């Protein structure tokens, strides 16, 4: 069945600074927590790091030319905080100058810039003072957001405060699989809360600097599927919903926290560090909600890793993802279920009603074992199928009344996939990391046609 998208539907692609830029010590950039983490042996597969990545810092002209060939309406990228306010010191003009050039060339190519203020590269100097566990980091973030918005806001009108605060807090401070790579209870919950505060403060500052800005936040939300009728699995599904979705959607869209939070984490914190106005600050009017989605969440109840509730890390909720025997898994090991994407949108609509702003899909995509064939092409049919099915799922949600305005594919090009290094390839464009040669994959031509026709077969 053909899915047709409205003429003003935005088709885009997304990247993030640390994953593509390289040039980590150039023009006054200082280390972020991801430099430290990736240079710590054993943290990233094959001990890889983003020192060079796609060398986009020097090759952005070539990359924008690829975007132009693709016909992108909009390009979502992130600003590197450690380039703009390194070490939380004075503003670094050379860092801003890079984004000036990037934005100017995007506009000259007819591509609308969409800037994410925080895609995980916290200045290491701030982590050394406690990082997201501290309220002061949220305040510092607001200062940096104001600088960026004042400088670029005459040309950048779509602003995303944070990318996936779940990952910054829970993966970073509880599971320890992302920077800064620690495993904590209360610390991780504080990080999640201060990220919510940071979002609210930054949204205020961006609005003040750019009155005609569209301001939003990007959340990676789980489409939770209950795996059995047992009470234990029903409770596991509720706990997954809490940590994956509600501790972020409730403050942002309603200015509250779910009661379940106090029950689930009672052993590790009394929440006394939440101040009166914080939730009101986190609850800013939003022009859009950015939604990132990759795979369905199927939590079954299992024993907690740590039996003593007072010693648990925040993410130890006694749940485990169910993988069905023999099912197709992506290179990330993620199952695929496009209907779960539609279900996520209809859940948001049912749960939040009028409090739900319009949605942009700010990331969706798949890692495939892409190789350049003898004829020089990359035949990534699995990506074409995945993106086609997920775009059809978006269209189906729109048919059910969900207001979805655009779709940014992850990712424009293969890049540094965080703790997984360079092995998973998510790009429409293949990158040879030895030569930095870019090779558009079959999906590149396919997506170009989707953008041109606004139609998915
Ligand atoms: C998301 C991240 C993005 C990318 C994709 C695969 O969680 O926001 O940077 O790594 O996953």
């Amino acid at each position: 069945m053909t899915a047709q998208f409205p003429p003003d539907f935005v088709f885009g692609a997304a990247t993030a600074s640390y994953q593509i830029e390289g040039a980590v010590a150039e023009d006054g950039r200082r280390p972020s927590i991801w430099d430290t983490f990736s240079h710590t042996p054993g943290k990233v597969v094959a001990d890889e790091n983003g020192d060079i990545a796609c060398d986009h810092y020097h090759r952005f002209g070539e990359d924008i030319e690829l975007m132009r060939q693709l016909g992108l309406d909009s390009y979502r990228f992130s600003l590197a905080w450690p380039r703009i306010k390194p070490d939380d010191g004075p503003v670094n003009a050379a860092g801003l100058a890079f984004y000036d050039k990037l934005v100017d060339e995007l506009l000259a190519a007819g591509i609308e810039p969409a800037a994410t203020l925080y895609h995980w590269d916290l200045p290491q100097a701030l982590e050394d003072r406690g990082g997201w566990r501290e309220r002061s980091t949220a305040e510092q973030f607001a200062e940096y957001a104001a600088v960026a918005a004042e400088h670029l806001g005459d040309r950048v009108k779509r602003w995303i405060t944070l990318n996936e605060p779940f990952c910054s807090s829970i993966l970073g401070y509880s599971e320890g699989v992302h920077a800064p790579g620690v495993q904590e209870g209360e610390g991780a919950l504080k990080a999640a809360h201060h990220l919510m505060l940071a979002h609210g403060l930054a949204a205020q500052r961006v609005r003040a600097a750019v009155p005609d800005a569209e301001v939003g936040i990007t959340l990676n939300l789980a489409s939770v599927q209950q795996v059995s009728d047992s009470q234990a699995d029903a409770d596991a599904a509720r706990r997954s919903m809490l940590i994956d979705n509600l501790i972020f959607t409730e403050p942002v869209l309603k200015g509250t926290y779910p009661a379940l939070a106090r029950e689930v984490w009672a052993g590790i914190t009394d929440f006394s560090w939440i101040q009166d106005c914080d939730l009101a600050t986190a609850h800013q009017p939003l022009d859009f909600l950015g939604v990132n989605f990759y795979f369905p969440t199927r939590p079954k109840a299992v024993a907690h890793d740590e039996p003593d509730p007072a010693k648990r890390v925040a993410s130890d909720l006694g749940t485990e993802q169910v993988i069905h025997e023999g099912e197709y898994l992506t290179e990330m090991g993620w199952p695929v279920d496009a209907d779960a994407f539609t279900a996520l949108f209809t859940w948001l609509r049912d749960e939040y009603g009028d409090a739900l702003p319009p949605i942009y899909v700010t990331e969706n995509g798949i890692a495939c074992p892409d190789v350049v064939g003898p004829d020089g092409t990359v035949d990534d049919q699995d990506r074409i199928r995945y993106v086609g099915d997920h775009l059809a799922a978006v269209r189906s949600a729109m048919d059910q009344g969900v207001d979805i305005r655009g779709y940014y594919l992850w990712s424009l090009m293969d890049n540094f996939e965080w703790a997984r290094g360079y092995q998973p390839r998510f790009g429409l464009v293949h990158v040879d990391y030895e030569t930095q040669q870019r090779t558009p994959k079959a999906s590149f031509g396919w997506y170009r046609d989707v953008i041109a026709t606004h139609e998915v077969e």
Side-chain angles (χ1 to χ4, degrees):
M1 223 187 56
T2 306
Q4 179 79 45
F5 288 84
D8 57 353
F9 190 85
V10 173
F11 283 101
T15 64
S17 48
Y18 189 70
Q19 294 181 276
I20 63 166
E21 286 179 357
V24 289
E26 263 176 71
D27 295 334
R29 183 189 180 277
R30 299 283 297 145
S32 78
I33 55 175
W34 268 96
D35 297 271
T36 309
F37 185 77
S38 63
H39 280 269
T40 307
K43 296 295 186 187
V44 173
V45 169
D47 286 337
E48 290 173 327
N49 59 58
D51 286 2
I52 299 172
C54 308
D55 195 31
H56 174 75
Y57 194 78
H58 301 115
R59 294 170 195 261
F60 65 94
E62 185 186 340
D63 295 334
I64 292 174
E65 174 52 24
L66 286 164
M67 296 181 215
R68 202 189 54 73
Q69 287 169 17
L70 198 48
L72 287 190
D73 298 317
S74 179
Y75 171 55
R76 174 180 177 235
F77 59 98
S78 79
L79 305 172
W81 185 354
R83 285 194 197 284
I84 294 176
K85 271 190 122 243
D87 284 348
D88 130 53
V91 174
N92 177 34
L96 284 170
F98 169 68
Y99 296 108
D100 277 331
K101 285 185 287 185
L102 179 73
V103 164
D104 289 347
E105 289 203 23
L106 285 168
L107 291 171
I111 300 163
E112 185 193 17
T116 306
L117 283 160
Y118 186 68
H119 203 126
W120 308 352
D121 37 7
L122 180 71
Q124 180 61 42
L126 290 178
E127 180 58 31
D128 293 343
R129 280 184 262 141
W132 287 112
R133 304 172 194 83
E134 297 298 322
R135 317 176 59 79
S136 56
T137 298
E139 286 151 11
Q140 293 286 343
F141 178 66
E143 294 304 317
Y144 147 68
V147 167
E150 278 159 20
H151 191 84
L152 296 165
D154 57 334
R155 290 155 288 158
V156 177
K157 302 298 177 187
R158 188 166 299 144
W159 289 87
I160 295 163
T161 54
L162 304 177
N163 179 70
E164 303 188 350
F166 169 86
C167 297
S168 308
S169 54
I170 303 300
L171 299 189
Y173 290 86
S174 175
E175 294 187 21
V177 295
H178 277 188
V182 294
Q183 298 185 312
E184 299 179 5
E186 186 177 69
L189 296 175
K190 283 183 170 174
H193 178 72
H194 293 139
L195 281 153
M196 292 293 88
L197 183 62
H199 155 70
L201 293 171
Q204 290 171 339
R205 300 297 290 268
V206 174
R207 271 199 204 293
V210 194
D212 58 344
E214 269 185 278
V215 181
I217 181 173
T218 282
L219 303 177
N220 54 321
L221 296 175
S223 185
V224 179
Q225 303 171 344
Q226 197 177 313
V227 298
S228 84
D229 291 337
S230 75
Q231 188 58 48
D233 286 337
D235 289 343
R238 286 171 67 231
R239 292 194 299 276
S240 283
M241 188 66 108
L242 171 74
I243 195 168
D244 287 331
N245 297 357
L246 299 180
I247 57 166
F248 305 104
T249 51
E250 295 284 298
V252 165
L253 300 175
K254 290 212 241 163
T256 58
Y257 274 128
L260 187 61
R262 288 187 186 270
E263 205 182 293
V264 165
W265 288 301
I268 55 177
T269 185
D270 61 4
F271 295 96
S272 58
W273 34 271
I274 297 180
Q275 294 187 10
D276 281 350
C277 299
D278 291 355
L279 284 166
T281 303
H283 183 213
Q284 293 298 311
L286 289 185
D287 299 295
F288 65 90
L289 176 68
V291 173
N292 291 357
F293 176 83
Y294 290 92
F295 57 87
T297 298
R298 308 176 191 137
K300 79 162 185 253
V302 293
H304 290 269
D305 294 334
E306 167 58 61
D308 180 353
K311 292 195 193 136
R312 274 180 202 152
V313 298
S315 52
D316 182 2
L317 297 186
T319 64
E320 188 180 279
Q321 169 86 334
V322 171
I323 300 292
H324 301 310
E325 205 171 318
E327 81 175 307
Y328 173 90
L329 299 177
T330 72
E331 284 292 283
M332 296 295 282
W334 295 340
V336 174
D337 180 353
D339 291 340
F341 201 14
T342 307
L344 174 61
F345 295 121
T346 52
W347 172 75
L348 277 168
R349 181 203 56 198
D350 295 346
E351 190 74 17
Y352 292 103
D354 290 344
L356 181 68
I359 292 172
Y360 284 102
V361 175
T362 40
E363 283 179 30
N364 175 242
I366 179 174
C368 304
D370 300 324
V371 286
V372 183
D375 61 351
T377 65
V378 183
D379 193 22
D380 57 341
Q381 294 303 320
D382 284 356
R383 177 166 296 103
I384 293 174
R385 196 168 315 112
Y386 179 98
V387 176
D389 289 349
H390 284 75
L391 276 169
V394 168
R395 180 66 251 192
S396 162
M398 291 165 74
D399 291 339
Q400 295 175 61
V402 185
D403 184 359
I404 307 175
R405 304 276 172 96
Y407 175 93
Y408 291 84
L409 192 150
W410 185 272
S411 178
L412 174 70
M413 56 187 163
D414 297 340
N415 57 51
F416 176 70
E417 181 42 44
W418 307 114
R420 301 288 295 272
Y422 291 98
Q423 187 260 330
R425 292 179 175 271
F426 273 94
L428 294 168
V429 175
H430 181 277
V431 177
D432 178 328
Y433 297 107
E434 296 292 314
T435 62
Q436 290 297 341
Q437 184 170 344
R438 274 77 164 137
T439 306
K441 304 177 189 175
S443 58
F444 182 96
W446 175 86
Y447 194 50
R448 183 189 56 215
D449 293 345
V450 168
I451 298 173
T453 57
H454 277 231
E455 217 171 82
V456 179
E457 289 297 331

